[in-house]
């Protein structure tokens, strides 16, 4: 009796060429994050439930994979932020602050399975944690890193949307609506989805905000224009609330440094509707939209928070961070046919076919090519010639080299370019140059294809 | 009330500089495996228990992390081989064979926690799966990959030990001991630990082997010498058992090609005591010993098997593979002080300190350095100068650059080499050259330090 092989619903399992692209994406993220001085971090997938759920509640708790092993009450991590908080509290004495870390890892949420929703998915997070305080420049650097990351991946049409929670909280304080501000912001956050009229209806209905105040709120969040224009429009509120004024200063600083950080203005915008659902954020907040795919929602979000690890320690640990939902991003890009399969998905650059009984010359050739930085698969199966070429073709391997008696005696190598069909018989150096030139051209592209 | 932050016992959680070394090790493995045409693979950590435990039993089953979520009976993977078998059976039609994949991933075993034993640990596996058959050359290539991998990591004193199960099974068949051969091999496998007398005692005791046969077995497994000598000694048994003869042919082929594959003879040896505990292996088997640390046991093991996925499919899928217990290897190397902390553990190459109120010139400098391939952290916290230098020191960042009014006006950059203390004030190009030269020297080393 055979067991039917299957992969659980809600768990992404890619074919080799798709996986190669996913790896390439991760590699771009790692390199970009590292270029800004972020250290890689890895924490366990399993934590004590008591530790992992110190803060959680409601929806999150229901989705947790929680179980017992022996006497232990264990849970799988549902994000990378809680494990980071635990890590920083636990290893506080061994860390240097600001502590910059990136983590790319799997997290688990037992959501209802549906298309494009995953129960196991990668998050790619960066955070900068200060000890006691953290300079505002860090908040301006984050969108620069988002911009670099998506540009290197090959995205062309995206926009980083920036706001500051202090401006929002300050504004609601001016209006005498501080107590309802959380509910109001959650409602306003739906503006793009449900439109201004429905937002106004919820505000004056459920939330019992006066019509005047609702109008003021809608007017406020309707402030639009260039970043300069938005900042200018916000000036009219200055001097009425200290928190608001601080937020306006911070937003001004972030916008000012963003151009110094090399982010073109078309790639970022001040957007007063961005609040982020979580109560967690206290300053700058970020969302990132793919302009041709608004239905996807934000592909990279985050913000500034005042206290990372309050559930574990009395130390005040402010920070700023962002998260990319990598599995979902990959899924959407794949659906949209935006992944550059030709570029980097082959498992080898060269397939080497020995045509003699003694494999030694072919083995030596492969070793030499690897020393020269070429990925070579030695193919020794007893198959028909056509089957071997089909194999190279199916794997997307761009070059096939043959080594028969003739070639060995003449000190030459036959080499076929699988894309053009062109076959050459050259010495090692010439063959290598041809292959390297072809590979350089192929690798010139990015992992994501988007035309501006 | 605070929750005490903690990490579960048996779960490795590294500090940033240790983690950087672990990442470097993984990166070496990925690059080496890729250079031989292995494709990266990623499978879920959670599988249906029915699928994961199709074959398991006994000890393994007791160690599994198994739990329910809704109606589903789920388990965490305990190795990367069973998920590979499922993957190949499930995606058979989409794969090209031989299918070469590598996977570096976490696996879970609820073993009794003790020093150096982990419940969550990384395995780094490569396998080559054939469809119906698989050429013997693949079995010779595997030790070449092991040799490359450990050499690139920086290990100097290791030995790959090779045997062939057909030789062992054939030998026991000659002796009329086929039925007990599994038990006998498990006993013989303990030779290094318990010595020949105790092995003989178990053979003639529990296993009821005659004294003559036990002597023959001990004589057989005592065959030692150069690979040529061992193969020569085995010739005396040729012609008495077909399976033995096949095994001898295979072993001869593997040894012959190993030198073509560039593995120096001092790094591999034919060792007739190697059987591998699992009944799973059917041909060539491998173990890898660190010569100065025999107590660690094999750091890379595997072998040839005839049928990867028999629990899931009727297809015959022979293969050959090896596995490195990466978490344990890291732990041991760290304990032995063999990790090259100076080499690659800093989170940045340069710490940039702006000395003016306007950060723009420093930000622009950082951006330029990143374009030139240098990892730069911009440091903007309001701290005393000494605190900033201590920060660079604690993170192991090798260079600090300063940009004050003087430097900006003169178009120069002050740059301190943290190791030598030497400080220069040069233009951008000269500063970059100095930093790049220093980094190239530091990066010349390997991640593991072992002196031959």
């Amino acid at each position: 009796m055979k067991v039917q092989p299957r992969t659980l619903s809600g768990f992404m399992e890619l074919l080799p060429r798709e996986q190669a692209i996913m790896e390439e994406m991760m590699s771009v993220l790692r390199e970009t994050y590292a270029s800004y001085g972020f250290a890689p971090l890895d924490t366990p997938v399993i934590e004590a439930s008591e530790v992992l759920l110190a803060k959680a509640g409601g929806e999150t708790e229901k989705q947790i994979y929680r179980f017992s092993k022996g006497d232990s009450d264990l849970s799988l991590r549902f994000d990378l932020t809680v494990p980071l908080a635990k890590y920083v509290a636990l290893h506080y004495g061994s860390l240097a602050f600001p502590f910059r870390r990136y983590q790319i890892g799997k997290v688990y949420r037992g959501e209802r399975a549906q298309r494009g929703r995953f129960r196991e998915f990668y998050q790619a997070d960066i955070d900068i944690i200060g000890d006691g305080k953290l300079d505002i420049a860090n908040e301006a650097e984050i969108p620069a890193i988002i911009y670099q990351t998506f540009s290197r991946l090959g995205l062309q049409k995206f926009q980083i949307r920036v706001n500051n929670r202090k401006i929002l909280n300050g504004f609601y304080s001016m209006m005498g609506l501080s107590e309802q501000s959380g509910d109001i912001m959650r409602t306003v956050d739906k503006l793009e989805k449900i439109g201004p009229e429905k937002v106004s209806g919820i505000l004056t209905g459920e939330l019992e905000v006066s019509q005047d105040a609702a109008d003021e709120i809608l007017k406020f969040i309707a402030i639009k224009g260039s970043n300069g224009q938005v900042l200018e429009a916000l000036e009219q509120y200055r001097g009425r609330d200290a928190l608001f004024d601080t937020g306006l200063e911070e937003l001004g600083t972030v916008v000012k440094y963003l151009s110094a950080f090399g982010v073109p203005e078309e790639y970022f915008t001040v957007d007063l509707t961005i609040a982020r659902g979580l109560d967690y954020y206290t300053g700058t907040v970020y969302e990132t939209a793919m302009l041709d795919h608004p239905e996807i929602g934000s592909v990279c979000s985050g913000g500034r928070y005042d206290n990372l690890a309050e559930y574990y320690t009395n130390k005040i640990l402010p920070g700023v961070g962002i998260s990319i939902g990598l599995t979902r991003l990959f899924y959407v890009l794949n659906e949209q046919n935006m992944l550059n399969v030709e570029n980097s998905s082959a498992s080898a650059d060269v397939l080497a076919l020995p045509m003699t009984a003694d494999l030694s010359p072919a083995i030596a050739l492969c070793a030499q090519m690897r020393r020269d930085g070429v990925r070579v698969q030695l193919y020794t199966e007893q198959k028909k010639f056509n089957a071997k070429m089909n194999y190279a073709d199916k794997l997307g391997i761009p070059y096939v080299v043959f080594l028969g008696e003739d070639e060995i005696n003449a000190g030459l190598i036959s080499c076929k370019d699988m894309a053009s069909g062109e076959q050459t018989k050259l010495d090692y150096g010439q063959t290598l140059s041809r292959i390297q030139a072809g590979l350089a051209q192929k690798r010139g592209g990015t992992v994501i294809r988007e035309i501006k």
Side-chain angles (χ1 to χ4, degrees), chain A:
Chain A
M1 259 300 283
K2 305 289 176 193
V3 172
Q4 182 67 34
R6 64 189 171 96
T7 298
L8 291 165
S9 149
F11 288 68
M12 181 180 268
E13 185 171 78
L14 301 172
L15 288 173
R17 298 190 68 176
E18 297 171 326
Q19 185 63 43
I21 295 169
M22 181 63 141
E23 301 282 330
E24 178 69 16
M25 286 179 68
M26 289 189 190
S27 167
V28 170
L29 297 188
R30 279 194 292 261
E31 275 171 33
T32 309
Y33 297 159
S35 77
Y36 286 86
F38 288 81
L41 191 66
D42 188 16
T43 61
V45 169
I46 308 178
E47 301 271 5
S49 297
E50 177 199 41
V51 171
L52 207 62
L53 304 177
K55 173 188 176 181
E59 261 322 288
T60 311
E61 195 137 356
K62 266 187 272 171
Q63 296 179 353
I64 306 283
Y65 286 87
R66 183 174 181 171
F67 53 92
S68 300
K69 179 82 183 165
D71 298 333
S72 306
D73 177 1
L74 305 174
S75 293
L76 304 188
R77 64 185 179 205
F78 54 89
D79 71 8
L80 301 177
T81 304
V82 177
L84 173 65
K86 180 215 75 174
Y87 183 91
V88 175
L90 181 59
H91 303 291
Y92 174 84
S94 308
L95 301 175
F97 294 91
F99 173 50
R100 292 181 164 222
R101 82 89 176 79
Y102 74 85
Q103 183 165 7
I104 301 174
K106 287 178 170 178
V107 304
Y108 296 83
R109 295 187 195 172
E111 298 194 74
R112 205 164 58 82
Q114 49 181 309
R115 257 183 91 72
R117 283 275 169 193
F118 296 93
R119 290 171 170 171
E120 175 186 72
F121 56 98
Y122 278 98
Q123 286 193 333
D125 283 20
I126 58 173
D127 284 89
I128 308 171
I129 315 296
D131 184 10
K133 36 186 194 170
L134 185 70
D135 192 74
I136 179 78
N138 293 289
E139 286 166 57
E141 194 176 29
I142 291 281
I145 302 171
I146 298 176
Y147 170 72
Q148 275 297 325
T149 303
F150 284 118
S151 296
R152 287 194 199 180
L153 285 172
L155 279 184
Q156 304 272 347
K157 290 187 276 187
F158 64 93
Q159 191 177 49
I160 304 161
R161 295 172 180 167
V162 179
N163 194 9
N164 191 300
R165 286 290 297 257
K166 293 191 179 94
I167 289 180
L168 298 182
N169 291 330
F171 171 76
Y172 292 113
S173 162
M174 282 177 217
M175 308 284 298
L177 294 169
S178 284
E179 272 177 38
Q180 299 103 301
S181 69
D183 287 332
I184 296 175
M185 280 189 260
R186 268 183 286 272
T187 307
V188 164
D189 210 20
K190 295 175 192 156
L191 186 68
E192 216 169 305
K193 277 187 205 146
I194 64 175
E197 275 165 44
K198 284 195 178 157
V199 165
S200 181
I202 298 173
L203 291 178
T204 55
E206 281 176 52
L207 301 184
E208 300 178 352
V209 169
S210 73
Q211 187 63 52
D212 278 2
D215 291 348
E216 271 292 320
I217 292 167
L218 284 168
K219 185 185 144 204
F220 177 79
I221 61 171
I223 295 173
K224 293 238 158 16
S226 71
N227 296 328
Q229 287 165 335
V230 173
L231 288 171
E232 171 116 11
L234 289 174
E235 283 298 331
Q236 63 181 295
Y237 298 93
R238 194 192 280 273
R240 292 165 58 186
D241 183 275
L243 189 64
F244 181 94
D245 294 354
T246 306
L248 187 52
E249 287 299 321
E250 290 181 0
L251 190 61
T253 304
V254 167
V255 169
K256 175 186 158 201
Y257 283 131
L258 266 177
S259 50
F261 274 114
V263 183
E265 177 146 353
E266 55 178 311
Y267 285 95
F268 76 97
T269 188
V270 174
D271 183 338
L272 299 179
T273 67
I274 306 292
R276 302 301 307 146
L278 294 162
D279 295 326
Y280 186 57
Y281 295 115
T282 51
T284 309
V285 284
Y286 318 96
E287 290 192 354
T288 311
M290 285 175 61
L291 294 176
D292 284 352
H293 302 284
E295 74 284 1
I296 299 168
S298 174
V299 292
C300 178
S301 314
R304 157 89 187 202
Y305 42 87
D306 275 347
N307 207 350
L308 174 72
E310 57 181 325
Y311 293 88
Y312 308 120
T313 174
N314 289 317
K315 304 274 177 205
I316 305 296
L317 301 166
V320 58
I322 48 168
S323 181
I324 296 176
L326 193 56
T327 298
R328 180 162 163 74
L329 179 62
F330 180 91
Y331 173 85
V332 168
L333 293 169
N334 205 9
E335 288 280 295
Q336 299 286 342
N337 227 344
M338 288 170 69
L339 296 173
N340 193 352
V341 183
E342 292 75 32
N343 183 41
S344 52
S345 66
S347 53
D349 304 318
V350 170
L351 189 72
L353 301 183
M355 313 294 268
T356 53
D358 180 11
L359 301 179
S360 304
I363 291 172
L365 171 65
C366 291
Q368 184 58 50
M369 286 194 148
R370 286 189 198 106
R371 278 194 291 275
D372 288 323
V374 179
R375 299 175 304 151
V376 192
Q377 179 182 345
L378 177 69
Y379 186 100
T380 57
E381 308 308 309
Q382 304 301 313
K383 297 266 180 180
K384 295 224 168 77
F385 186 77
N386 275 347
K388 294 177 184 179
M389 299 309 278
N390 285 342
Y391 180 79
D393 211 44
K394 195 163 177 187
L395 291 178
I397 299 176
Y399 294 96
V400 176
V401 299
F402 318 90
L403 214 52
E405 289 296 346
D406 287 358
E407 284 88 351
I408 294 167
N409 292 335
L412 299 175
I413 297 155
S414 289
C415 174
K416 182 171 181 177
D417 179 329
M418 294 296 285
S420 70
E422 195 193 346
Q423 190 165 325
T424 54
K425 200 167 177 178
L426 301 166
D427 68 19
Y428 176 76
Q430 291 166 319
T431 304
L432 179 68
S433 297
R434 179 171 174 241
I435 290 169
Q436 284 175 332
L439 293 177
Q441 202 170 18
K442 283 176 81 75
R443 287 180 190 145
T446 53
V447 63
I448 300 173
R449 291 183 299 210
E450 187 173 55
I451 293 146
K452 203 168 170 180

